[in-house]
Amino acid sequence: MSDRLGGALARKPLHFIFVLDVSGSMMRGGRIQALNNAITEVLPHLKDEARANPHAELLVRVLAFANEPQWIIEAPTPVDQIHWKRLEAVPRGFTELGSALQTLSGALDHLDESNSAFPPAIILVSDGRPTQSSGVTFAEGLQALLNNRWGATAVRLALGVGRDADMHSLRRFIGDEDVPLLRADNPEQLVEYIVWASKAASKVASRPVVGPGSGVTAVPPSPIGDPIWSTLG
């Protein structure tokens, strides 16, 4: 695609960040296997989204968390270069979501400051209630994210896994009551919901006009219409 002067149309970076719970409880009921399958299945969809969007260069990062956050893919990587290595849950690992969000906020500090990038898209997947053994509470981590310019304008979506997922905390992460909050009932739903969330986040984040707050003003309808309150495993 070219601009009116005949040159190639520049593609703006769209940072797509998965924040994934690998705490000990993810070992139950095939949850970590389902999460790995979901990410494996969503990558071709993201590649299709990237090819279909001439305005955005889709760059993927993955942050896992249990006792501490750990970058699985730290450098922003073009989606067509991603080769997924399956995650393992941490035996007896905690759910240090606050620390993970604080780490994420620090990483967002290094994004393009010229306003030439789209707002990032962040998808959080968790099956438990946030712990704070690291000394960073969920509220502190979330506030650090929202104090960051890119964190505040990001498209933020969240998925709960199983009946122990803290849906209240996930709702606070999203920050918009009009945005669907889903809870997976089985591995098939987890795959379906992550595919939906990934495609929705990509479409919304790459729109040219972004409002204040989370930036999520017109998320496509969820695959179930309304939030589901059920279990996986």
Side-chain angles (χ1 to χ4, degrees):
M1 189 170 184
S2 302
D3 60 19
R4 288 180 296 177
L5 298 179
L9 183 66
R11 303 178 78 191
K12 297 181 180 180
L14 167 54
H15 294 269
F16 203 101
I17 306 169
F18 289 101
V19 182
L20 305 177
D21 186 345
V22 294
S23 61
S25 56
M26 287 292 289
M27 300 176 71
R28 297 204 303 262
R31 295 176 184 179
I32 193 68
Q33 293 90 339
L35 177 60
N36 279 302
N37 292 342
I39 298 298
T40 300
E41 185 159 330
V42 82
L43 288 175
H45 291 275
L46 289 180
K47 291 176 182 178
D48 290 342
E49 291 289 324
R51 283 192 290 265
N53 191 334
H55 305 292
E57 179 188 15
L58 203 157
L59 303 171
V60 174
R61 307 173 81 173
V62 179
L63 179 66
F65 66 95
N67 294 331
E68 60 184 9
Q70 177 184 6
W71 284 106
I72 305 302
I73 302 176
E74 184 170 8
T77 303
V79 64
D80 58 0
Q81 296 179 19
I82 299 294
H83 301 284
W84 185 246
K85 295 182 179 180
R86 299 180 74 84
L87 297 173
E88 298 290 340
V90 177
R92 300 186 179 182
F94 294 117
T95 309
E96 292 296 299
L97 179 53
S99 181
L101 296 181
Q102 189 175 71
T103 296
L104 176 58
S105 175
L108 294 178
D109 285 336
H110 302 293
L111 295 190
D112 190 344
E113 291 292 337
S114 67
N115 293 316
S116 64
F118 290 109
I122 305 170
I123 294 181
L124 169 62
V125 181
S126 181
D127 76 334
R129 185 178 300 277
T131 56
Q132 56 185 69
S133 63
S134 66
V136 180
T137 67
F138 167 71
E140 291 169 339
L142 180 60
Q143 193 58 54
L145 182 66
L146 297 179
N147 286 344
N148 182 287
R149 180 171 71 92
W150 287 115
T153 59
V155 175
R156 301 189 302 275
L157 297 178
L159 303 172
V161 182
R163 61 186 174 187
D164 296 329
D166 185 347
M167 304 303 277
H168 176 67
S169 293
L170 297 181
R171 171 56 66 193
R172 289 175 63 191
F173 170 80
I174 293 173
D176 186 337
E177 292 292 335
D178 294 329
V179 174
L181 169 58
L182 307 180
R183 175 178 284 172
D185 181 51
N186 53 55
E188 292 74 22
Q189 283 184 340
L190 181 58
V191 172
E192 180 184 3
Y193 295 170
I194 288 183
V195 169
W196 167 80
S198 300
K199 295 174 72 172
S202 175
K203 290 180 183 298
V204 175
S206 60
R207 289 174 181 170
V209 177
V210 179
S214 70
V216 187
T217 56
V219 172
S222 78
I224 56 173
D226 295 308
I228 189 167
W229 299 85
S230 48
T231 64
L232 189 155

